[in-house]
Every structure is written in C-alpha cells, then in structure tokens.
Amino acid sequence: MSETKSASNFIEAEINKDIENNVYENNRVLTRFPPEPNGYLHVGHVKSICLNFGLGEKYYGETNVRFDDTNPTKEDVEYVNSILYDVKWLGFHWKEPVHYASDYFPELYEYACKLIRMGLAYVDDQSSEEIHDTRGDLEHPGVESPWRNRSVEENLRLFKEMKEGKYKDGEKVLRAKIDMASPNMVMRDPVLYRILHVAHHRTGNEWCIYPMYDFAHPLSDAIEKITHSVCTVEFEERRPLYNWCLQAYEGKEKPRQIEFARLNVTTMITSKRKLRRLVESGVVSGWDDPRMPTISGIRRRGYTPESLRHFCDLIGVAKADSLVDIGMLEYCIREDLKKKVPRIMTVIDPVKVVLTNYPEDKVEYMTMENNPEDLSMGERKVAFGRELYIEREDFMEVPARKFFRMTPGKEVRLKGAYIVRCDEVIKDENGEIKEIHCTCDMETRSGTPGADRKVKGTLHWVSAKDAVDITARLYDYMFSPDDEDDGRDFIDKVNPKSLIIMKSKAESAIKNYKVGDRFQFLRKGYFIIDKDTNDNEIVVNRIVGLRDTWAKLQKKTK
C-alpha cells in the first residue's frame, strides 16, 4: 500500500491526488519501463528508467519491465538482453517476471475482435499509401475509406482470415473507426493491426498479424494492472488514442498516462536511426563504442550508475522539453569518482628527461598518496631514477605568458620528488625534441627540509626504467555542443578528432588493476581500463578530463 508523500515534481503530485482519491485499490502504485527491443538504450532512456523505478520505490510499489515487441522486422533477442543488462547495471530491480507484449497476443486479438463487435474497428483493403494520402492535414479533414462501413460479421470474418494467413503483407489492415475529421491527426482511423509474414523472436511463425504499438501498449498496461503509464511528452498527442483503446478492456481500474519532458543532452544524438547509421557506416566500432550515447557506450566509457542517477536527480522532471548541457553530466562523473578512485601518474604524450647529475644506477622510491581526498586509501611507492618521462606539452622552449612548467633555465618540481632545472634540449634531424637534459637539486627531495624551497610549477612524471607501455584512447565529442541544422548530413559533421590514440607511459602501479577499474591520471583526467586489454597491451579510455585552467588558456590563445 502506498501513502501520500511530499511531491518533488508534477508527476508525484498527480500520484498523490490518486492516492487521496483512492483511485486504485489499496492506493497501489505500479509503473513500468516498456522499451521496444529494436535497438540499444541511450542516455535519454536513463531518465525514463530512473523516473519509473524511482516512483515505484518512493511509493512502496513496484515496476515492471515489459518489451513492446510488436514489430518483428526490427526486433532481436540481442536488444532484449542488452536492455535487461542496462537496467540492472543502473541499479534497479523489476517485478518478476519480465513481461512481453507478445505474451498478450491472444488477448490483444480478442480485444480487437471486441472493438469490431462494438462497431469501432473495420478491415480496410486500402494500401498504406492510400491510407496516408487520404488522412488529410491540419487544414483539411481526411477521406473515409470505402471499406469503412462493412458489417460487423464481414469484418470479423476478414480479420480472422488475416490471422489465418490468407492475405499478403499490406493487402489488408484493421483500422479503428474514430473520426476522419478529428483535429488530432492521430485519431483519424489509425491502423490497429497489419499483416506481416515474418517470424517473431519469441512466438516464431505462430502469428502473421501483429498489433500496432499504439494499440498493444495501452492494453498491455491494462492487462498488467499498471496504474501510472509515465512516458515522454511526444506521446501527449497520442493520449486520446491510448484512452480510446482501453474501451476494449473491462477491468475496473485502468492505467493513466502522464507525460514528461524527454532528456536531450548537447553533443549527444538519441535518434535510433542515426545511431544505427553510425554503427553500420563504421564511424564507430559498435553500439558500445565509448563515443556513443548508448548506455552500453557510456558504461564502457567509464561512467558509473551513481553518476547517471545523480545526473537525473539534478535535471529533475519537467513538462517542457529542454537541452541539458553535457557539462552537467561530466560534473556528475567527476563528483562521483574524485573521492573513490586512486590516482596514479601517467604520461600521455611522453618526452624523455635525463637528470645529468643523478647517478645512473641509483633508484629511489617516492611515497605518494593514493587519493589525497581519502587518506584511508593509503600510499604507494613510486620508483624514481636518472631517466624520466614528462608530458610533451609541459615543456616550451619559448614559454607563453603565465607558462609555469618546464622551460630552458627555469626550475620546476617533479611531483613528490626533486626540483630540477632545464639545461639543454636535444633534437632529432627533423627538429623534434628527443630529450631534455636537466640538473637535479639533490637537496630538495620531498619530505626533507630542502623541500620547503618553492617553485611555481609542479609536473607529474614516470620513471623510464619502470614505465609500463599503455595505449590511451582520448575521446572527445562526436558533435559540437553548438551544432545546428545547416542542411548537411549529420555524418558529415562527425568530429574527426573524436578519438585520438596515444602510446603512453604509466607508472608500474597500473599493473595492479584489471579491466573495468577506474582511476585518475594526475592532471590528465579520469580513465578506465578497457575490455580490449590483453596480456600484451593495456588499453585505457579517458572517461572525462579535468577542469584545467591552462587548457582554457590554450583555447583562448588559439
């Protein structure tokens, strides 16, 4: 039994009204998440999942997972399995068992027959093109089908023959008899059933007619005794049809549809058609490519369930569609990871540094905190020697203004180690920097009295002797946050630098981690070990970068 609770959004306010008015027996609340198994879930579905399951939890109710599998030409068990995994990964548990609209095909057929007997549905011999051409538009009413006034007996016979496979695909359809002059185009005798001689992933060849989504969806809700059918705002105009279809259901309690604004995020495309094109055209490596806005892609990128749920909490529930800045999602993952993942030093674009006055055979071990925001994560020892790697971008022969990293004749501190001074730059025949020779101030080791001497810059580094070769995948937005419709195909707008692969150097501590482990690379961002890692190669994906004032300065000066 549910009880009235303080409402944090308009949907909860509506549920509270239903509880106060005893609309549903025992004030029960049963929601559902009803995906069509015709693709992978994306970031927009996260909001729907969090909302439906969140309502179930808040009101001590439950939430069903139901697959609205009414179109066998586009559905596959692969999508079913991926969707169930996504829901579990986000941390939610549905009311068992998993439901399918295909479970109700016999009942849906009987409901359709009932509508025929009520004089509310008829078999139409028009083609799909003819039906489309006679629907009219917002200024003109539609034209009634010449088959609209068939007798109940003839419609029942023809519909039965459709079910028995006597007709070809597209030869006949079952339409609702509503109003061809309705100002709501959805209500102009919509198609309820069509003929498809296609095997279904669950029912095989048992059926050759399949209900349309708009017919199967509300009746499936009713059969499952769903109380609140929460869906995105584009279904608002279809709510009259949702309620109309429920005439065939005789149950005392009928579900109620409530719409909310869908989730749109800058840089992210959520059209299944466009996502499929990205996969099939080879722009991305698959549905779980870390650049994809699919939940499987976001998961592989390294985002956590907690960060996505926090994101949905922050954006809230509204009635009007809006566009949420990607920066808010990135904020949520940074906030989630900063206190719970270890930090290690990794040089993404390495250049060698030689400490000319440091003994060749000497190795020291510097003590580093694993996470300064959570000291309970302990410390580690990091090898330090004569030859090191630093980031190529941390050196400038001719420094820009406010550049406080390594430059000729200037000193910087190597994190947790010594202060060093750049003396000489060694270049190859192409003028590229090969090595940077420095002098180490041996009196300034961290943790000793000499460490008090201050210099402005501190660099992370990796010992050349103990360095682990890794492959770093640096992901950027596939589409600009400022992207607008300029007539070009969206494929032509894909950022060619959305994936940059670097051969990098990491401290040896990275060997202690496994696929799926996350950490912060000091000054470079948060990373996760990718599933492509094997015995010969460690592959890491950048989850999100750090907010870096120098990076902002660079953008301003470009």
Side-chain angles (χ1 to χ4, degrees):
M1 175 184 289
S2 299
E3 59 184 55
T4 303
K5 293 181 174 289
S6 175
S8 61
N9 57 63
F10 74 93
I11 294 178
E12 292 180 2
E14 292 298 315
I15 292 176
N16 284 345
K17 288 181 184 177
D18 289 344
I19 291 174
E20 291 168 1
N21 295 324
N22 297 310
V23 173
Y24 298 101
E25 185 179 6
N26 297 323
N27 288 331
R28 65 187 183 86
V29 172
L30 178 61
T31 60
R32 82 290 171 271
F33 176 61
E36 298 172 72
N38 59 4
Y40 283 71
L41 298 184
H42 54 65
V43 66
H45 293 108
V46 175
K47 182 177 178 181
S48 180
I49 294 170
C50 290
L51 178 56
N52 278 290
F53 280 90
L55 291 171
E57 292 174 356
K58 179 168 183 174
Y59 288 94
Y60 306 111
E62 294 177 298
T63 300
N64 284 358
V65 166
R66 180 183 71 247
F67 290 97
D68 282 333
D69 52 346
T70 60
N71 187 357
T73 64
K74 295 183 178 181
E75 297 163 356
D76 195 283
V77 69
E78 172 190 353
Y79 301 135
V80 171
N81 293 335
S82 72
I83 289 168
L84 292 176
Y85 187 85
D86 287 344
V87 173
K88 285 183 179 179
W89 177 76
L90 283 168
F92 296 108
H93 303 280
W94 54 80
K95 178 185 177 183
E96 293 288 356
V98 174
H99 298 270
Y100 298 83
S102 56
D103 291 340
Y104 314 132
F105 281 175
E107 292 166 274
L108 295 175
Y109 175 79
E110 292 302 324
Y111 287 138
C113 290
K114 181 179 179 181
L115 288 176
I116 293 174
R117 289 191 291 270
M118 294 170 68
L120 296 176
Y122 63 96
V123 174
D124 192 353
D125 293 1
Q126 292 183 108
S127 69
S128 59
E129 291 80 9
E130 289 172 324
I131 292 174
H132 177 271
D133 293 342
T134 56
R135 287 184 71 222
D137 54 36
L138 295 177
E139 296 181 354
H140 304 92
V143 177
E144 291 187 357
S145 167
W147 315 106
R148 195 172 194 264
N149 295 312
R150 277 173 160 156
S151 68
V152 168
E153 293 73 22
E154 184 178 9
N155 281 316
L156 286 172
R157 176 180 61 81
L158 291 173
F159 189 47
K160 181 182 178 183
E161 289 175 352
M162 287 169 59
K163 175 177 177 288
E164 291 171 347
K166 292 188 177 181
Y167 304 106
K168 299 176 183 178
D169 291 2
E171 193 170 348
K172 296 181 187 296
V173 295
L174 181 72
R175 294 179 71 179
K177 185 188 288 189
I178 306 178
D179 182 4
M180 288 301 291
S182 172
N184 185 341
M185 299 286 289
V186 171
M187 301 299 283
R188 295 186 182 180
D189 288 13
V191 173
L192 303 180
Y193 265 86
R194 76 287 205 198
I195 301 170
L196 283 175
H197 290 274
V198 178
H200 189 280
H201 70 98
R202 297 190 72 247
T203 61
N205 293 308
E206 182 179 353
W207 294 86
C208 63
I209 58 170
Y210 292 95
M212 301 298 288
Y213 175 89
D214 283 336
F215 179 70
H217 181 78
L219 287 167
S220 296
D221 281 348
I223 292 168
E224 294 175 16
K225 300 188 182 302
I226 300 300
T227 59
H228 299 88
S229 177
V230 182
C231 57
T232 48
V233 73
E234 65 263 31
F235 288 95
E236 184 174 12
E237 69 173 3
R238 312 187 89 81
R239 192 198 316 155
L241 180 56
Y242 181 98
N243 293 330
W244 186 93
C245 290
L246 292 175
Q247 294 178 94
Y249 180 72
E250 296 178 350
K252 178 182 178 183
E253 297 180 340
K254 295 183 179 181
R256 177 185 175 195
Q257 178 174 305
I258 307 174
E259 305 87 13
F260 67 97
R262 63 179 297 166
L263 173 59
N264 298 296
V265 183
T266 58
T267 80
M268 289 186 167
I269 286 178
T270 54
S271 161
K272 285 183 180 179
R273 177 183 61 82
K274 290 183 177 180
L275 294 179
R276 185 181 300 277
R277 274 194 64 194
L278 288 172
V279 174
E280 293 177 350
S281 63
V283 173
V284 296
S285 61
W287 288 99
D288 69 344
D289 187 297
R291 292 168 292 178
M292 289 282 277
T294 55
I295 296 178
S296 56
I298 292 170
R299 178 169 56 245
R300 186 175 174 187
R301 175 77 171 256
Y303 277 74
T304 61
E306 295 82 2
S307 65
L308 292 172
R309 292 172 72 160
H310 184 207
F311 175 61
C312 290
D313 287 342
L314 287 180
I315 60 178
V317 179
K319 292 184 179 181
D321 279 348
S322 61
L323 187 61
V324 180
D325 194 287
I326 185 67
M328 183 179 289
L329 180 56
E330 293 175 342
Y331 162 81
C332 291
I333 186 62
R334 289 190 190 100
E335 286 296 297
D336 186 48
L337 294 181
K338 69 180 183 180
K339 292 184 179 180
K340 70 182 188 184
V341 300
R343 303 183 184 185
I344 64 176
M345 294 192 293
T346 299
V347 177
I348 300 298
D349 185 13
V351 61
K352 181 174 284 189
V353 170
V354 179
L355 305 179
T356 55
N357 66 326
Y358 195 91
E360 291 188 23
D361 58 349
K362 183 175 182 179
V363 177
E364 296 179 86
Y365 289 91
M366 307 302 179
T367 301
M368 302 279 186
E369 296 170 335
N370 287 326
N371 190 326
E373 297 201 34
D374 183 359
L375 298 181
S376 68
M377 295 180 70
E379 299 174 335
R380 70 187 186 285
K381 298 294 184 179
V382 182
F384 181 91
R386 174 185 173 89
E387 295 186 351
L388 312 164
Y389 293 106
I390 67 167
E391 293 287 354
R392 193 171 297 274
E393 66 178 17
D394 283 346
F395 175 80
M396 273 192 179
E397 280 192 276
V398 181
R401 184 171 174 268
K402 294 186 178 180
F403 184 79
F404 300 122
R405 304 184 190 181
M406 185 176 286
T407 63
K410 297 293 181 68
E411 291 183 321
V412 293
R413 176 173 288 280
L414 299 178
K415 180 174 175 57
Y418 295 96
I419 292 174
V420 300
R421 184 188 70 242
C422 173
D423 299 322
E424 184 181 7
V425 180
I426 309 299
K427 298 182 179 181
D428 62 19
E429 61 276 10
N430 298 316
E432 296 293 323
I433 297 175
K434 184 178 179 181
E435 291 182 353
I436 302 170
H437 289 191
C438 297
T439 300
C440 178
D441 186 341
M442 303 296 289
E443 302 300 321
T444 59
R445 174 173 170 166
S446 294
T448 67
D452 294 338
R453 188 157 75 81
K454 302 297 183 184
V455 291
K456 286 190 175 180
T458 300
L459 309 182
H460 67 282
W461 50 273
V462 171
S463 167
K465 186 175 182 179
D466 285 10
V468 176
D469 291 328
I470 67 170
T471 298
R473 295 172 176 168
L474 309 182
Y475 293 101
D476 198 355
Y477 306 135
M478 274 211 297
F479 300 94
S480 167
D482 303 319
D483 180 50
E484 295 181 356
D485 185 4
D486 58 7
R488 289 185 296 159
D489 187 272
F490 82 101
I491 291 287
D492 296 331
K493 300 181 184 181
V494 173
N495 176 10
K497 296 183 179 180
S498 60
L499 170 59
I500 296 176
I501 300 175
M502 303 291 293
K503 295 301 182 181
S504 306
K505 303 285 185 179
E507 63 170 275
S508 60
I510 200 169
K511 293 188 291 186
N512 298 328
Y513 299 99
K514 63 184 183 301
V515 171
D517 284 345
R518 302 173 182 87
F519 27 72
Q520 183 193 123
F521 287 167
L522 289 183
R523 298 177 54 238
K524 303 309 294 182
Y526 293 95
F527 287 74
I528 184 172
I529 297 182
D530 187 73
K531 67 178 185 179
D532 286 344
T533 293
N534 53 55
D535 292 339
N536 299 316
E537 180 185 29
I538 295 176
V539 180
V540 298
N541 300 330
R542 183 169 64 187
I543 306 169
V544 66
L546 301 176
R547 284 166 293 182
D548 187 277
T549 55
W550 172 245
K552 293 178 181 178
L553 180 63
Q554 282 183 311
K555 289 180 181 179
K556 289 180 180 179
T557 56
K558 284 183 179 178

